[in-house]
Amino acid sequence: MSGLFLTLEGIDGAGKSSHIDALEALFRAAGRAVTRTREPGGTPLAETLRGLILSQPMDALTESLLVFAARRDHIVQVIAPALARGDVVLCDRFTDATFAYQGAGRGFDAEVLSTLERWAQAGQGGNGDGLLQPDITLWFDLKPEIAAERLAGARLPDKFEAQPVEFFRRVAAGYAERAAATRFVRIDADCPREQVWQQVESTLRERGLIT
């Protein structure tokens, strides 16, 4: 059975991470092996870089370089081997988040990000350009103002969660631009949790990913 690379995307507070447990259980019930991971992170090196990215002040280029360094290690050590085994890889964020946060949110050059993407993701299978890309991306779409209300007081925010709502408006617009890709499925996250999950499960069944 071939591997399946599924990513979850959305602004902070959209609720995407709250459905990973149910996704894992659904695929395991269907008899699939599951590798569950996140970005930045997923390996000891990438988790160390995650701590720096989320807490330390730095310019957008430094930030982007660290993100893609973490991603390369993550791909080589975890994602590519899991897909080769035939696993379902559930990843909380991937490259779309970089284009949304560092690109649209921070205003960093998308052409440079595309170059870094080619460097980090080449040679690991994937699309016709030889780049590893998700097979399907669930985009949890939520208005930034509502996301901010959900995050308020939840915990000590990292440096991204502490950004003003205008930053998240730009990030949301970045995600909307990325959503033109056919692998994207928009999930209306402005619903009760059960209704959000129904959208997720229906999407997977409609695409024949579970029966």
Side-chain angles (χ1 to χ4, degrees):
M1 188 173 292
S2 60
L4 174 69
F5 188 15
L6 186 155
T7 57
L8 298 90
E9 296 283 0
I11 63 174
D12 294 281
K16 59 182 173 49
S17 302
S18 65
H19 296 285
I20 294 182
D21 285 344
L23 274 168
E24 181 177 3
L26 191 65
F27 279 110
R28 289 194 184 280
R32 297 299 300 267
V34 177
T35 294
R36 175 173 162 174
T37 190
R38 69 175 182 176
E39 287 215 348
T43 70
L45 173 59
E47 289 291 335
T48 298
L49 294 176
R50 176 189 178 90
L52 297 174
I53 293 164
L54 297 185
S55 64
Q56 298 300 313
M58 59 188 74
D59 73 356
L61 176 56
T62 302
E63 191 172 273
S64 299
L65 289 169
L66 290 180
V67 166
F68 276 106
R71 179 162 300 131
R72 178 65 183 181
D73 191 61
H74 190 204
I75 290 170
V76 171
Q77 301 295 334
V78 175
I79 296 175
L83 293 174
R85 292 193 303 268
D87 288 11
V88 174
V89 175
L90 302 178
C91 191
D92 188 346
R93 294 206 170 112
F94 195 60
T95 308
D96 296 305
T98 308
F99 280 89
Y101 277 79
Q102 280 71 43
R106 299 265 270 145
F108 190 60
D109 191 332
E111 288 299 319
V112 175
L113 293 179
S114 294
T115 297
L116 295 174
E117 179 184 30
R118 289 193 297 273
W119 289 353
Q121 293 165 227
Q124 300 294 331
N127 64 20
D129 296 326
L131 297 182
L132 178 66
Q133 297 285 10
D135 297 299
I136 181 170
T137 296
L138 302 178
W139 170 38
F140 292 76
D141 186 22
L142 185 69
K143 291 181 179 179
E145 294 80 6
I146 299 174
E149 291 175 5
R150 291 183 180 180
L151 286 173
R155 57 184 171 84
L156 185 66
D158 62 41
K159 78 176 189 185
F160 290 102
E161 293 168 338
Q163 292 293 316
V165 70
E166 181 55 39
F167 173 82
F168 287 104
R169 291 193 185 104
R170 296 194 300 270
V171 172
Y175 272 125
E177 184 176 346
R178 299 286 288 178
T182 57
R183 61 180 167 80
F184 258 77
V185 176
R186 180 185 176 273
I187 303 296
D188 181 2
D190 189 15
C191 300
R193 182 172 175 174
E194 296 78 10
Q195 293 180 21
V196 174
W197 172 247
Q198 289 172 3
Q199 295 176 67
V200 171
E201 187 174 9
S202 296
T203 293
L204 299 180
R205 295 192 187 281
E206 288 168 4
R207 297 204 170 199
L209 301 176
I210 57 171
T211 56

